[in-house]
Amino acid sequence: EVHLVQSGTEVKKPGESLKISCKGSGYTFNTYWIGWVRQMPGKGLKWMGIIYPGDSNTRYSPSFQGQFTMSADKSINTAYLQLSSLKASDTAIYYCARIHRELTGDGFDIWGQGTVVTVSS
Amino acid sequence: SYELTQTPSVSVSPGQTARITCSGDALPNQYAYWYQQKAGQAPVLLIYKDNERPSGIPERFSASTSGTTVTLTISGVQAEDEADYLCQSADTSGTWVFGGGTKLTVL
């Protein structure tokens, strides 16, 4: 069965950094794009960017340019989202999700469980 | 920036049909996708490429397009369908966008 499992809840202070992981299983991880999506408290979804683990090719949403970094280690089937200089406004749930281009086009067909990030002094 | 507009809320009684719309200027030229998100859970892909259903999604979920509006239809609504429904598409540059979501209440 296909799964994306994300790292656990994070509580950080303003100015700190964090790195969220997303580990895939049940499929060939390095041949599917992985996207990152933010959901602020009580709000909708916002697409942040995508990464292709096979060659770490990335595409960032213009809305988030420079605010975070995506990376991947295909040897351990894991993608990462790194947030730096955290602000209270970074408080959100961050999801990773798979894109199955051949089947579902640009739809995210498999989602991680989400990582809750709280930034507070 | 490009936006997809959804009605904030829709209410229907069990067994009725719910229609949830999503509007955006680029929709005639870009595929639409629909997700269901229940409280405290990750989204689930309901519809891809305008009107295709992934395996495992019940047939009561369907979608259609008409100009700049796409519509998700839930036939024979069940209590378990109470959730937020979000559309996704892209602008003319290929940047993906989600709609603000529609909260479906089953009365």
Side-chain angles (χ1 to χ4, degrees):
Chain A
E1 193 175 352
V2 177
H3 287 294
L4 292 173
V5 178
Q6 299 182 226
S7 48
T9 297
E10 299 270 8
V11 179
K12 293 290 187 180
K13 292 182 173 8
E16 293 184 336
S17 300
L18 75 88
K19 197 171 187 178
I20 299 168
S21 65
C22 170
K23 184 174 177 62
S25 62
Y27 73 101
T28 307
F29 183 77
N30 62 341
T31 61
Y32 292 80
W33 289 84
I34 291 288
W36 290 95
V37 177
R38 185 183 78 179
Q39 188 167 37
M40 297 175 74
K43 302 295 185 183
L45 305 175
K46 192 156 187 176
W47 172 64
M48 301 175 71
I50 54 173
I51 184 167
Y52 190 75
D55 60 7
S56 290
N57 188 17
T58 56
R59 187 173 145 218
Y60 289 85
S61 165
S63 300
F64 286 94
Q65 198 75 32
Q67 297 180 35
F68 66 94
T69 303
M70 295 178 293
S71 61
D73 185 342
K74 62 183 179 181
S75 70
I76 55 171
N77 292 351
T78 302
Y80 301 96
L81 175 69
Q82 183 161 1
L83 304 172
S84 304
S85 301
L86 289 165
K87 304 180 287 293
S89 58
D90 292 315
T91 294
I93 300 173
Y94 293 85
Y95 292 101
C96 65
R98 187 185 79 164
I99 297 166
H100 190 332
R101 280 260 160 87
E102 290 75 23
L103 179 63
T104 57
D106 292 338
F108 295 101
D109 72 327
I110 301 293
W111 291 68
Q113 82 276 20
T115 296
V116 176
V117 173
T118 302
V119 182
S120 174
S121 55
Chain B
S1 61
Y2 182 57
E3 292 185 353
L4 295 173
T5 302
Q6 296 185 240
T7 303
S9 63
V10 169
S11 299
V12 296
S13 299
Q16 290 189 327
T17 296
R19 292 181 178 84
I20 296 169
T21 61
C22 172
S23 299
D25 290 341
L27 284 173
N29 302 304
Q30 298 286 350
Y31 280 129
Y33 303 82
W34 287 96
Y35 299 87
Q36 178 194 65
Q37 186 177 29
K38 295 184 177 179
Q41 297 183 20
V44 172
L45 180 65
L46 284 180
I47 298 287
Y48 65 94
K49 293 182 182 177
D50 289 343
N51 54 22
E52 301 289 335
R53 251 189 339 269
S55 61
I57 300 300
E59 290 183 8
R60 65 178 183 275
F61 292 95
S62 63
S64 59
T65 68
S66 180
T68 59
T69 299
V70 294
T71 302
L72 174 71
T73 300
I74 311 172
S75 304
V77 167
Q78 301 178 6
E80 68 195 49
D81 298 331
E82 187 161 287
D84 291 330
Y85 292 85
L86 302 105
C87 60
Q88 175 207 342
S89 189
D91 64 16
T92 52
S93 71
T95 298
W96 295 330
V97 177
F98 289 94
T102 298
K103 181 174 181 59
L104 175 66
T105 299
V106 181
L107 300 171

